[in-house]
Amino acid sequence: MAFKLRTSKRASEIFDQIESSENLPCYTLVKLAMALSLRSKEPLAECDFHTNTLGRELNRQTITGDADAVYKCVMELYAGKHLTDEEFFPTYVKAHIDRGAILLEREQKYSSNFLVHLTELDQSL
């Protein structure tokens, strides 16, 4: 069972940039990235599973915490299949973090107040 993963270099750069400009901790950004990736409703592409591992090292407990089983259930619903523990972490979690980081960067670029913008995403057209 894996307890750590490494993000892609691009995801790490995005987290560093948003962390410094918005003064938000990396682990908050990681959770927001996963949420945006799951919210997109587009299935993960094959390329989402083959990103590099040159970014930040993240600890499973810090990413999912007490809600590890909830995260796994949500990702199973999203994938439409049962995920083994090895598939869930690090494979699916990393894929959602890396894809979500790009989505998070896009949202930050087009907002004047980043956190308010994220809370109002579902209210927009």
Side-chain angles (χ1 to χ4, degrees), residues 1-3 31 34 59-76 85 88-89 93:
M1 181 184 322
F3 291 102
K31 291 173 183 168
M34 286 193 302
N59 184 306
R60 180 177 184 161
Q61 178 61 31
T62 310
I63 296 169
T64 61
D66 293 340
D68 194 72
V70 174
Y71 278 98
K72 186 175 180 194
C73 287
V74 169
M75 288 192 191
E76 286 178 334
D85 202 50
F88 166 65
F89 195 96
V93 172

Side-chain angles (χ1 to χ4, degrees), residues 1-118:
M1 181 184 322
F3 291 102
K4 293 184 180 195
L5 64 77
R6 281 198 166 274
T7 66
S8 70
K9 183 177 180 181
R10 181 72 183 121
S12 183
E13 292 168 350
I14 291 168
F15 292 143
D16 288 343
Q17 185 271 320
I18 296 175
E19 190 174 24
S20 66
S21 68
E22 300 292 337
N23 200 26
L24 292 169
C26 178
Y27 290 106
T28 300
L29 298 173
V30 166
K31 291 173 183 168
L32 289 170
M34 286 193 302
L36 284 175
S37 178
L38 289 162
R39 181 185 177 274
S40 75
K41 296 185 175 113
E42 292 181 25
L44 290 169
E46 189 62 32
C47 63
D48 293 324
F49 292 103
H50 299 291
T51 55
N52 66 58
T53 56
L54 303 173
R56 278 189 197 208
E57 183 175 87
L58 302 173
N59 184 306
R60 180 177 184 161
Q61 178 61 31
T62 310
I63 296 169
T64 61
D66 293 340
D68 194 72
V70 174
Y71 278 98
K72 186 175 180 194
C73 287
V74 169
M75 288 192 191
E76 286 178 334
L77 287 169
Y78 181 85
K81 66 176 188 170
H82 171 73
L83 300 175
T84 66
D85 202 50
E86 290 75 26
E87 287 175 312
F88 166 65
F89 195 96
T91 307
Y92 273 77
V93 172
K94 179 182 174 0
H96 281 293
I97 289 171
D98 288 347
R99 179 173 78 169
I102 294 166
L103 298 172
L104 195 63
E105 179 185 45
R106 287 180 193 161
E107 295 300 333
Q108 190 214 18
K109 281 183 181 178
Y110 300 109
S111 66
S112 57
N113 188 330
F114 183 55
L115 290 177
V116 170
H117 174 72
L118 289 176

